[in-house]
Amino acid sequence: MIDAATPLIPLAVVVPLLWAVLTAVRPQVRAAWLVVPGLLAWCTTAALLWSHVRAQGVTQYALGGWAEPLGIGLRADGLAATLTLVTAVIASACALHRLLSPPAEFADHAARWFWPLFFLLGAALDGVWLAADLFNMYVGLELLGLSAVGLVTVAGTTIALAAALRYLLAALLGSLAYLLGVALLYADYGTLALASLANGFTASTTTLVALALITAGLCLKTALFPLHGWLPPAHGAALPPVSALLSALVVKASFVMLLRIWLGPGVSLLVPAVAQGFGVLGAGAIAWGGWQALRHAELKMLVAHSTVAQLGYLFVAVPLLVDASAAARASAWDGVMLQVVAHALAKSAMFLASGALIAAVASYRVDDLAGVSRHMPLALFAFGLSAVSLMGLPPSGGFSAKWMLLQAALASGQWQWVFVLLGGGLLTAGYVFRVFRASFLQGAEDRFTPTPLGWDVVALALAASAILLGVMAVAPLEVLRIGAPPSVGLLLNGAP
Amino acid sequence: MSPALWYALVGALLVAVAFAAFAAHTHVVRRLLAFNVMGTGSFLILVGLAQHERGPDPVPQALVLTGIVVAVASTALALVVFRRWFAATGRVALPEDDTP
Amino acid sequence: MSAASLPAWVLASSLLPAVLIFLLPESRRRTRTTLNLAAAGLKLVLVAAMSWGVVRNAPHEVRFTMWPGAEFILRGDALACLFAGLSALLWLFTTIYAIGYLEGAPNRSRFFGFFSLCVASTMGIALAGNLLTFLLFYELLTLSTYPLVVHRGTEKALAAGRTYLRYTITGGAALLLGIAVLYSFAGDVEFKETGSLRAVAESQWPLLRVAFGLMIAGLGVKAALVPLHGWLPQAMVAPAPVSALLHAVAVVKAGAFGIVRVVYDVYGIEFARELALLVPLTIAASVTIVWGSLRATQQTDLKRRLAFSTVSQVSYIALGVSLFGPLGTIGGLVHLLHQGIMKVTLFYCAGNYAETLGVHDIRELDGAGRRMPLTSAAFTIGAVGMIGVPPLAGFVSKWYLGLGALEAGHPWVLAVLIASSVLNAAYFLPIVHRLWFRNASAPWPDERSFGRFETSLWFLIPTLATAALTVGAGLFAGMPFSPLQWAMLITRREYLP
């Protein structure tokens, strides 16, 4: 059912947008009576959309009945529907964390703008997931960048302001490069809809320059090594729920765009050398991010560097998505999709748990966590569960993803990626166990600040879902395969 | 030489110059200015592309319009954040770039 | 509760208590104790019921698909019941011991929570029906034992924890790679008596050997095969019940059990011999047996001596597995049980000495037999059993291993066994001598009084029970359902007709 005009698709963008407006009318620091219905509506829409796509397949919608090229076309494939659902769930968890925060967290006057920016970010994310053409992706990406920068500044510290400025400069540069690239593509092909571009790019100079600009811009926004410099300070300095959203979802937006462009019309130009190049940068990210996480003194910076490393896995999958047999490509697709979702759940859980731990010991330093295992067992347990997924240890979504990527690498004889995947897991174990080591030390007593129990529960729920994803991956993978690019979908569409 | 090519060449030159300035300067406001010049350059390229024999093409125009709106909004946001940063620290450059 | 889902209930009977115990406030001592003991007892009953299915040749099985091409399988086959039975039995005793040991200590909720999680992982390892499920619980075991090893929170405990992780996580990665390589051309390999890889084309045999090497290396870390054993002596800083768990019930046994599974139920013993995989394993096991014993003789700390003794003794299992022929198999399998019972006795005793008298060093044990006769008697039984004196459990193992060596055509292994027994005697008998035949030369370092008995009853009951089992397993080896008979039942099913 390609043309079923379901209003659920625009609703997934409109609902958070509506609440962005509602909360902006009279900005308040805490507005549970307004926020909670919004979250409920958002989650319901996303869940309905997910089950609709699961039952009906890829669904398209032309906003306002306008056709291309000026109309806004939206398209919900399995990836878009799943990420919309994951976004709604993680955003709700982050919102609950925020609502449960003690009043001291709302001292800064910018805190009033949290909710409008929060919902705007959600609308922008859904916009990127559901966009059917390069221009809508651009609009979504811009809104995303601006609202993300705004949310970083809500923390109010000078460190956060500096990080936000740096983030903004990187984001602006990235989206300008992307815009130029898109314009050049339009000059070559006269359309921006991914569906109309499906015949594939030709290797003209304009197209190559355009692809280079788009790729550079999006890699900068995804913080792919070595363009990752802006990410750790921004993700480290923001409030915990903001860091969680940024690391779990925002960086994935530009990655999904890259994937849609390169595996869609760009797949004929994704020659092995280019694909392997992505893989090498991904391996660099795993090594560098892991190494930095090993030696950073502050907990949130450790977690932020871990994001740099985990994003590397997504790029290591690129050579396996093209430069391999059909079965291996299918396995790599499953792996990279699962990694996107599992990392989103695990990393948001880890940031929320870290926020609770940091608040409890009133220090950012890993070494100051001594004795926290006794005082904050639930938060530490949530941290541990999410770490299991990040390390790629079973049972967890991270493990299943790694297993599928391993299978793809082995089936295509690309042993270099086998060792990168395994080495990355060991490096991750190295830095997360720094935290446990510190927390099991018997430290001084009675210097802990009490934190809301709800914080721990929210983090635990996210972490547990990252674990469950590992043993119950059949249904999510089934949906994620719907509408997969034909280049990887040969075996997927129809095959068991 | 066709007008479209002229637009593209001038636009490319502006982007290149502005990118150099963006990379060279540490003062946040200067970098913002450089970014805006870069934006103007790319809009020139886009508008150049919009000229066809068949008359103006609406899609690049829409791209440019959106791009301008985004540039204005981002510059405004950047200035707000910068003012808070300046008020709090009295510095004009970001800490990592600050080489007194 | 349907009968087919029995394996899931066996797992749940320690997983659910783990969750409940985590949630219990520190102060609810009585509830926690009741929960622990009830769960341990229930598990024994469930495992016994599961074993009945094996006797009727209709093993219970639970399975579901984790993701396309990857099954989660729990199956109570004969081998699974052997290991699950051992763990369930020793868990009961170790729980009793641990309750007494941690009386009044901090962080008991955390301790018993991870303790139950650890046993849940062990049950999962025992019941796993394919390599992926096995890997899942094998890694879970690593994670759930770490908090137990570092439980005391001292610098020394944390350093030991770090060493433990370095070894086990790296070993886990090797195991993962081995399984992934095997999976890449053989698919989801289920455990099956007599193995299931015979159909693999001969061109793939080199890869089969690579996968075997990787898996044995990964399992060898937990089974403490030399030179992968370095973590075990260091992990001695953990509390005594944890040492008992590491050495007898869970960790090293998980490694050894994994080797059994890979050789018999993945490759099949006949096929493994065809691939020439068995002789390297025999050599590795023999080296470990001698090296562990040699190092044990040099230790003066009681627990460290026992640790190196474990290194040596656990490799008897790998040795038996690698000796082609039913007798060697019986020897290896039965030692899986016997080593567990004997070693757990010895560790309980070491804990009793440390907790009652404050004695950690062997040289301080002079005359302890008079102060603590029951503990010392149990220690003597365990030690003599380890040496292999008839009619105790250790003798049965060594007898079958010796016969197996002759049957497999490796008479030099007999020399290894004899050398090891001599060394066993050399490091155990001096301790026994000190216990009974020397007089205490100095006051005990840190003596505590437990009233009417020589030590707390929480300590004494498990110690005496496992000592009695050591005697019983040897004396009644011919009775139905004895470890020996069960090992024979498995062996009959593992060899091609």
Side-chain angles (χ1 to χ4, degrees):
Chain A
M1 288 285 286
I2 294 295
D3 289 318
T6 159
L8 284 172
I9 302 180
L11 270 182
V13 184
V14 169
V15 167
L17 204 57
L18 179 65
W19 257 270
V21 175
L22 287 179
T23 48
V25 174
R26 281 187 59 195
Q28 286 172 301
V29 289
R30 212 199 287 256
W33 57 272
L34 183 58
V35 170
V36 172
L39 297 174
L40 285 176
W42 189 4
C43 285
T44 314
T45 315
L48 287 174
L49 179 63
W50 190 78
S51 56
H52 178 86
V53 169
R54 189 179 180 196
Q56 308 283 332
V58 177
T59 310
Q60 297 203 339
Y61 185 83
L63 206 61
W66 284 40
E68 288 162 2
L70 284 181
I72 299 180
L74 296 174
R75 179 174 180 274
D77 55 10
L79 171 57
T82 307
L83 285 178
T84 305
L85 182 60
V86 171
T87 305
V89 169
I90 292 180
S92 303
C94 295
L96 287 179
H97 180 101
R98 178 72 177 164
L99 287 171
L100 293 165
S101 302
E105 297 260 330
F106 306 110
D108 195 81
H109 81 274
R112 289 176 305 138
W113 294 101
F114 179 86
W115 292 115
L117 288 166
F118 168 85
F119 281 109
L120 188 63
L121 184 91
L125 279 170
D126 285 356
V128 172
W129 311 139
L130 295 164
D133 64 68
L134 298 175
F135 181 60
N136 283 334
M137 284 184 183
Y138 169 73
V139 176
L141 197 65
E142 279 304 341
L143 281 178
L144 191 60
L146 294 182
S147 49
V149 170
L151 279 173
V152 173
T153 64
V154 169
T157 60
T158 51
I159 299 170
L161 290 175
L165 270 177
R166 181 163 294 280
Y167 182 12
L168 183 59
L169 291 177
L172 289 179
L173 209 57
S175 41
L176 201 60
Y178 175 80
L179 182 66
L180 259 178
V182 168
L184 292 176
L185 282 183
Y186 184 77
D188 247 16
Y189 303 98
T191 177
L192 292 176
L194 282 170
S196 329
L197 288 167
N199 290 334
F201 294 145
T202 47
S204 72
T205 317
T206 326
T207 304
L208 291 180
V209 172
L211 270 181
L213 281 168
I214 287 177
T215 307
L218 292 180
C219 285
L220 178 61
K221 289 207 158 203
T222 317
L224 172 61
F225 175 84
L227 302 173
H228 63 282
W230 60 267
L231 185 145
H235 291 200
L239 294 172
V242 176
S243 307
L245 279 174
L246 296 187
S247 266
L249 298 164
V250 173
V251 281
K252 308 279 169 55
S254 34
F255 174 76
V256 166
M257 288 169 65
L258 269 177
L259 213 56
R260 287 202 193 281
I261 292 168
W262 276 109
L263 292 183
V267 76
S268 55
L269 300 179
L270 191 50
V271 292
V274 177
Q276 297 290 341
F278 276 121
V280 169
L281 292 182
I286 292 173
W288 180 255
W291 173 245
Q292 289 295 315
L294 264 180
R295 48 191 295 275
H296 238 285
E298 290 182 7
L299 178 58
K300 279 189 79 185
M301 288 301 270
L302 182 154
V303 183
H305 277 108
S306 150
T307 298
V308 173
Q310 292 283 323
L311 290 168
Y313 286 103
L314 301 177
F315 286 92
V316 164
V318 173
L320 307 173
L321 281 168
V322 284
D323 198 5
S325 69
R329 291 202 302 266
S331 181
W333 173 263
D334 282 351
V336 74
M337 288 297 107
L338 211 55
Q339 167 71 9
V340 166
V341 177
H343 175 251
L345 292 170
K347 189 49 70 67
S348 50
M350 190 176 258
F351 262 120
L352 294 184
S354 307
L357 293 176
I358 287 170
V361 299
S363 162
Y364 289 99
R365 296 173 54 81
V366 175
D367 290 341
D368 291 342
L369 289 174
V372 85
S373 73
R374 183 186 311 195
H375 184 75
M376 304 272 298
L378 276 184
L380 194 68
F381 200 59
F383 190 97
L385 285 185
S386 57
V388 168
S389 184
L390 293 186
M391 284 186 277
L393 290 183
S396 70
F399 169 75
S400 310
K402 190 159 93 174
W403 173 265
M404 290 164 202
L405 294 179
L406 271 179
Q407 285 307 320
L410 287 169
S412 56
Q414 302 185 44
W415 281 84
Q416 70 273 31
W417 306 128
V418 173
F419 294 113
V420 167
L421 290 168
L422 290 177
L426 295 182
L427 211 49
T428 316
Y431 63 74
V432 295
F433 272 103
R434 277 183 62 202
V435 178
F436 295 121
R437 187 184 144 73
S439 67
F440 276 111
L441 259 180
Q442 292 299 12
E445 296 296 316
D446 301 319
R447 51 178 190 81
F448 297 107
T449 319
T451 56
L453 181 69
W455 278 5
D456 303 351
V457 175
V458 168
L460 203 55
L462 284 177
S465 45
I467 296 290
L468 277 182
L469 187 64
V471 286
M472 301 202 290
V474 176
L477 282 177
E478 224 167 64
V479 175
L480 282 164
R481 287 172 169 190
I482 294 172
S487 59
V488 297
L490 292 174
L491 272 189
L492 302 176
N493 303 329
Chain B
M1 212 177 228
S2 73
L5 199 57
W6 266 112
Y7 277 114
L9 278 180
V10 174
L13 191 70
L14 275 178
V15 170
V17 171
F19 185 75
F22 187 87
H25 286 292
T26 58
H27 194 301
V28 173
V29 177
R30 281 179 188 274
R31 296 186 86 173
L32 273 178
L33 284 173
F35 164 75
N36 273 289
V37 174
M38 217 186 317
T40 312
S42 44
F43 298 150
L44 262 182
I45 300 175
L46 288 178
V47 172
L49 294 172
Q51 315 299 321
H52 284 297
E53 304 81 55
R54 288 169 276 123
D57 184 337
V59 172
Q61 313 269 9
L63 281 177
V64 171
L65 272 178
T66 317
I68 290 173
V69 172
V70 166
V72 170
S74 336
T75 310
L77 177 63
L79 287 175
V80 169
V81 179
F82 174 70
R83 278 187 47 166
R84 290 189 64 191
W85 161 255
F86 183 70
T89 64
R91 288 155 81 167
V92 293
L94 291 176
E96 299 86 352
D97 304 331
D98 221 356
T99 43
Chain C
M1 170 172 151
S2 81
S5 60
L6 210 48
W9 286 104
V10 170
L11 194 62
S13 66
S14 37
L15 208 53
L16 289 181
V19 175
L20 291 176
I21 290 167
F22 275 125
L23 296 177
L24 269 186
E26 195 65 34
S27 55
R28 302 288 295 278
R29 195 178 66 92
R30 198 176 293 270
T31 319
R32 192 167 44 235
T33 305
T34 316
L35 200 61
N36 265 321
L37 292 177
L42 177 66
K43 178 184 300 302
L44 257 182
V45 175
L46 290 173
V47 172
M50 204 168 62
S51 310
W52 183 240
V54 176
V55 175
R56 291 183 305 135
N57 221 344
H60 301 286
E61 184 183 284
V62 177
R63 65 163 70 211
F64 69 90
T65 310
M66 291 191 282
W67 65 86
E71 297 278 306
F72 178 92
I73 307 172
L74 294 178
R75 187 189 299 135
D77 60 11
L79 200 50
C81 289
L82 178 86
F83 189 32
L86 169 80
S87 302
L89 190 66
L90 295 190
W91 186 40
L92 177 61
F93 293 134
T94 310
T95 305
I96 297 173
Y97 195 92
I99 291 168
Y101 191 89
L102 290 176
E103 194 88 0
N107 299 329
R108 273 175 293 174
S109 269
R110 187 182 81 193
F111 181 88
F112 281 106
F114 281 111
F115 199 69
S116 296
L117 208 54
C118 182
V119 176
S121 326
T122 312
M123 287 295 150
I125 287 172
L127 296 171
N130 63 359
L131 279 171
L132 259 179
T133 314
F134 181 88
L135 177 71
L136 197 152
F137 288 108
Y138 191 80
E139 296 285 23
L140 199 60
L141 181 64
T142 305
L143 296 175
S144 54
T145 40
Y146 173 79
L148 298 178
V149 172
V150 302
H151 181 73
R152 289 205 167 117
T154 57
E155 278 295 340
K156 208 175 154 207
L158 288 164
R162 178 142 60 170
T163 313
Y164 177 63
L165 276 181
R166 278 200 186 139
Y167 275 90
T168 48
I169 300 250
T170 317
L175 181 64
L176 166 64
L177 184 56
I179 294 176
V181 168
L182 197 59
Y183 186 99
S184 70
F185 59 88
D188 197 358
V189 184
E190 278 189 34
F191 295 148
K192 189 168 141 271
E193 277 148 6
T194 71
S196 53
L197 290 180
R198 190 165 293 280
V200 172
E202 199 164 342
S203 60
Q204 304 276 30
W205 282 15
L207 267 181
L208 276 182
R209 294 197 179 99
V210 170
F212 187 83
L214 284 166
M215 286 192 281
I216 296 297
L219 295 164
V221 169
K222 280 215 173 90
L225 280 181
V226 170
L228 308 170
H229 65 290
W231 61 272
L232 189 57
Q234 275 214 42
M236 289 293 78
V237 296
V242 175
S243 300
L245 202 67
L246 292 179
H247 283 259
V249 190
V251 179
V252 291
K253 276 304 156 56
F257 182 74
I259 294 176
V260 176
R261 277 287 194 207
V262 167
V263 172
Y264 288 109
D265 290 347
V266 176
Y267 283 74
I269 181 86
E270 269 101 355
F271 189 50
R273 185 171 68 152
E274 238 172 280
L275 290 173
L277 297 171
L278 293 181
V279 175
L281 191 56
T282 312
I283 293 169
S286 302
V287 169
T288 308
I289 289 171
V290 176
W291 177 253
S293 297
L294 278 175
R295 293 280 288 142
T297 56
Q298 300 164 343
Q299 310 301 323
T300 55
D301 183 287
L302 181 57
K303 281 180 87 181
R304 273 183 76 84
R305 183 171 286 190
L306 291 179
F308 277 106
S309 159
T310 302
V311 172
S312 164
Q313 293 277 338
V314 166
S315 276
Y316 280 46
I317 303 166
L319 182 71
V321 165
S322 70
L323 293 172
F324 183 81
L327 294 173
T329 308
I330 294 173
L333 291 177
V334 82
H335 199 60
L336 191 82
L337 289 186
H338 287 166
Q339 189 269 350
I341 303 168
M342 295 186 289
K343 191 41 77 62
V344 95
T345 312
L346 293 174
F347 269 105
Y348 290 156
C349 294
N352 291 359
Y353 292 133
E355 288 303 298
T356 319
L357 308 175
V359 169
H360 298 273
D361 196 289
I362 290 163
R363 286 162 301 192
E364 298 166 339
L365 275 174
D366 290 357
R370 218 154 299 158
R371 169 69 177 78
M372 301 177 68
L374 291 174
T375 302
S376 299
F379 189 91
T380 309
I381 291 173
V384 175
M386 281 286 184
I387 299 167
V389 175
L392 300 179
F395 168 73
V396 179
S397 315
K398 284 190 183 175
W399 176 255
Y400 277 95
L401 284 174
L403 291 179
L406 293 175
E407 187 184 41
H410 298 304
W412 57 271
V413 171
L414 274 185
V416 172
L417 288 174
I418 291 168
S420 166
S421 296
V422 171
L423 287 168
N424 288 165
Y427 63 75
F428 274 133
L429 289 183
I431 305 178
V432 175
H433 176 78
R434 280 176 190 276
L435 286 176
W436 298 110
F437 300 109
R438 288 210 191 175
N439 289 322
S441 50
W444 307 113
D446 180 20
E447 191 175 357
R448 282 162 70 195
S449 171
F450 289 92
R452 216 144 61 79
F453 299 96
E454 62 184 53
T455 183
S456 162
L457 270 185
W458 290 107
F459 297 159
L460 212 49
I461 290 171
T463 313
L464 294 177
T466 50
L469 283 175
T470 306
V471 180
L475 275 182
F476 302 113
M479 303 273 279
F481 293 101
S482 77
L484 182 64
Q485 297 302 316
W486 197 261
M488 287 176 167
L489 175 105
I490 297 170
T491 308
R492 273 197 293 280
R493 295 181 182 183
E494 289 296 353
Y495 283 83
L496 290 173

